[in-house]
Amino acid sequence: MWKRWVALLVICALAAFAAAQKKMPKPGWNLFKKQQDIQLGREYAQQVERQMYVVPNKELNDYVTRVGMRLVRQGGLEDYPYYFKVVQDDSINAFALPGGPTYVHTGLLKAAENEAQLAGVLAHELSHVVLRHGTHQASRAVALQAPAMVLGGLVGRSGLSALLAQMGIGLGANSVLIGFSRSMESEADLLGAYTMAKAGYNPLELARFFEKLESERGNPNWLVSRFLSDHPSPGNRIQALEEQLPYMPRGPYNAEEGDLAHIQQVVAQLSAPKRAPDQEPAGTAPGTGQVTAPVISLSGNVREYKGSLRGGAVAFSYPEEWQVEANPDGSLRVTGENGTVGSALGFGVLVDAVPTHDGRVDLPGDTKAYVQSLAQSGRNAKTESEPAEVTAGESPGLATRLSSDSPYAGGRREIDMVVTVDRGGTMVVLICVAPAAQFTHLEDAFQALIRSLRFNP
Ligand code: ZN
């Protein structure tokens, strides 16, 4: 008889344990096969490595590979062809593409307080890969836009990234492939924390790192917000992690074992990237008379502009290396040396105000009409993202990304981030332009200008 009581007690205890311990998340519905995640990731990795600057430093790449592979091996993650590379970008971020390619920003290496924090972010990223969040979201987008393609099946298609690009699914801002929903973030936090604990890293450090990011959220330094925009906080992220700690694999956690301090010294000594792999030196292409894209470098210091824009006051800050000039049509052009090719802006910001026909701004509707007219104005323009809410100065705005042919020689593409803001009666438009290879590099400067926008200076 007593044996039954014991059995019952054990069952009750197990049930209580199971209720407290969240079930490990599993991949959701997906149109792609796992092999296609890998193929897609490879295609996008080529794109990433053309547009971002992979640091040619063996020590740094070896270090993140060692931390990443320790998670892969001891965390029991699925067998994707993972690899890890460091890209030179001061914003605090890391991202993983479907099927395993993972990129760590130098900004993350600088910001991590110990190796466990870096490992935690990597484990979080690897969880997105294992849970196939990118292709899950892409599947939903494909199903909505092209049901025929779903019926026909994606199987066996080559050039998946080109196929998705036709549907506006790329690696731009707010991409469904690397920017996730809050529920997916909860899943990646949970699996990530479990994975790092299994590999011997204290999962509390992931919570601490998120705490640090959250505490710097309001900081005018835009660098931290990149991670939070790709990985929106599910709200009680830190508390949720702490609640799961008792159910995580126990230590010993040896977060201090790595040589992160040395790695941070190596990062600090990196010189500014000379140029991304597909950039060419500035100046005039020999024999063609055509202007090639300059290498744009900014100190981070800004100047203030106060003036008028089509009858209304406007003020904003802009990089000290650039100038503000009025175009013949009344719009403003903010750019630096070699920033224009003929009348076309090669990099910088075009600031304009567009009157609305009934004297009222319907921001979503007017934005759509404006972006459509831009997309039809030539240079092979293509919409890369749906409008996303942003704050421009004190006003709500919408940001939409397009890509188009760059006016610089070489036949490359540029990114045009179109930010529309309601000024009451007119819609103010900022078009932030850069060659695709340098857009990430200029994004902080663009964001700073957008944040500084004022209409009643
Ligand atoms: Zn995430």
Side-chain angles (χ1 to χ4, degrees):
M1 187 62 180
W2 63 270
K3 270 188 185 163
R4 274 195 204 162
W5 281 113
V6 170
L8 195 61
L9 275 176
V10 168
I11 288 167
C12 286
L14 283 176
F17 183 83
Q21 182 184 26
K22 281 197 198 125
K23 277 215 182 75
M24 279 301 143
K26 295 265 182 307
W29 169 80
N30 210 309
L31 276 177
F32 297 81
K33 301 208 177 325
K34 274 172 72 175
Q35 195 52 42
Q36 289 177 311
D37 279 35
I38 295 169
Q39 182 198 337
L40 196 57
R42 278 195 189 126
E43 290 173 26
Y44 281 117
Q46 287 179 1
Q47 195 178 321
V48 164
E49 294 185 24
R50 280 198 304 271
Q51 295 181 358
M52 299 187 84
Y53 187 75
V54 176
V55 179
N57 180 303
K58 190 168 183 305
E59 194 175 11
L60 290 185
N61 289 301
D62 284 354
Y63 175 70
V64 293
T65 301
R66 210 159 65 234
V67 175
M69 291 314 290
R70 176 171 169 166
L71 295 164
V72 170
R73 280 196 313 273
Q74 299 181 51
L77 295 176
E78 281 187 59
D79 189 21
Y80 285 102
Y82 299 99
Y83 63 80
F84 303 84
K85 291 185 182 178
V86 176
V87 291
Q88 195 157 356
D89 187 320
D90 270 345
S91 55
I92 303 171
N93 207 0
F95 60 96
L97 301 175
T102 304
Y103 297 88
V104 178
H105 287 203
T106 41
L108 172 61
L109 293 175
K110 285 184 194 170
E113 285 161 10
N114 53 51
E115 188 174 294
Q117 293 188 353
L118 169 67
V121 174
L122 288 182
H124 173 103
E125 296 301 330
L126 295 176
S127 301
H128 284 308
V129 173
V130 171
L131 296 170
R132 308 184 63 204
H133 284 154
T135 51
H136 170 69
Q137 292 196 118
S139 298
R140 290 169 58 171
V142 168
L144 281 174
Q145 289 182 56
M149 203 182 279
V150 177
L151 292 174
L154 288 159
V155 189
R157 287 198 178 252
S158 61
L160 280 171
S161 62
L163 183 82
L164 291 182
Q166 284 170 13
M167 309 177 67
I169 301 172
L171 283 181
N174 310 312
S175 167
V176 297
L177 290 161
I178 52 172
F180 302 109
S181 71
R182 288 180 167 75
S183 64
M184 290 173 176
E185 287 308 303
S186 293
E187 292 185 355
D189 284 357
L190 181 62
L191 183 58
Y194 188 79
T195 299
M196 69 189 290
K198 255 179 113 178
Y201 291 109
N202 187 348
L204 194 56
E205 292 297 339
L206 183 58
R208 287 202 184 118
F209 187 73
F210 286 143
E211 230 160 43
K212 178 175 162 159
L213 288 188
E214 292 285 346
S215 72
E216 287 182 39
R217 184 190 274 280
N219 191 322
N221 175 358
W222 176 260
L223 297 180
V224 298
S225 56
R226 189 80 62 78
F227 186 88
L228 292 173
S229 69
D230 285 355
H231 306 273
S233 172
N236 52 352
R237 151 171 256 168
I238 296 149
Q239 192 196 336
L241 273 174
E242 284 172 351
E243 278 171 10
Q244 289 304 309
L245 288 182
Y247 313 103
M248 298 281 170
R250 296 299 168 97
Y253 302 131
N254 34 13
E256 303 300 332
E257 66 143 15
D259 37 11
L260 182 65
H262 170 67
I263 289 299
Q264 287 173 332
Q265 281 174 3
V266 176
V267 169
Q269 283 160 11
L270 289 176
S271 47
K274 298 281 180 291
R275 70 182 76 144
D278 80 342
Q279 283 169 242
E280 278 157 16
T284 305
T288 63
Q290 288 179 305
V291 181
T292 55
V295 177
I296 309 154
S297 72
L298 300 175
S299 66
N301 298 330
V302 295
R303 289 186 221 196
E304 301 301 319
Y305 174 82
K306 270 187 195 184
S308 91
L309 174 69
R310 297 195 192 279
V314 70
F316 51 82
S317 63
Y318 62 98
E320 65 172 0
E321 293 83 355
W322 295 1
Q323 298 89 38
V324 183
E325 285 161 29
N327 286 316
D329 68 358
S331 59
L332 298 172
R333 185 175 65 207
V334 190
T335 186
E337 200 182 338
N338 286 319
T340 51
V341 182
S343 62
L345 187 64
F347 73 84
V349 183
L350 186 82
V351 187
D352 203 358
V354 190
T356 49
H357 40 261
D358 56 358
R360 281 184 54 242
V361 176
D362 158 29
L363 200 56
D366 293 340
T367 297
K368 195 172 169 195
Y370 184 82
V371 168
Q372 264 171 11
S373 72
L374 260 190
Q376 283 159 9
S377 66
R379 303 224 325 242
N380 205 5
K382 217 174 60 189
T383 312
E384 295 285 350
S385 79
E386 290 299 306
E389 288 176 12
V390 292
T391 304
E394 289 145 351
S395 316
L398 291 172
T400 315
R401 291 204 187 202
L402 289 89
S403 64
S404 59
D405 292 337
S406 170
Y408 292 116
R412 298 213 163 82
R413 301 284 284 174
E414 70 179 26
I415 304 289
D416 311 285
M417 179 169 66
V418 183
V419 176
T420 48
V421 190
D422 182 353
R423 188 173 71 176
T426 56
M427 182 170 77
V428 170
V429 182
L430 297 102
I431 309 178
C432 307
V433 180
Q438 298 197 75
F439 191 85
T440 325
H441 175 53
L442 291 188
E443 199 164 7
D444 295 335
F446 291 149
Q447 299 292 1
L449 191 153
I450 292 164
R451 272 199 318 274
S452 70
L453 186 69
R454 296 289 183 277
F455 300 130
N456 302 302

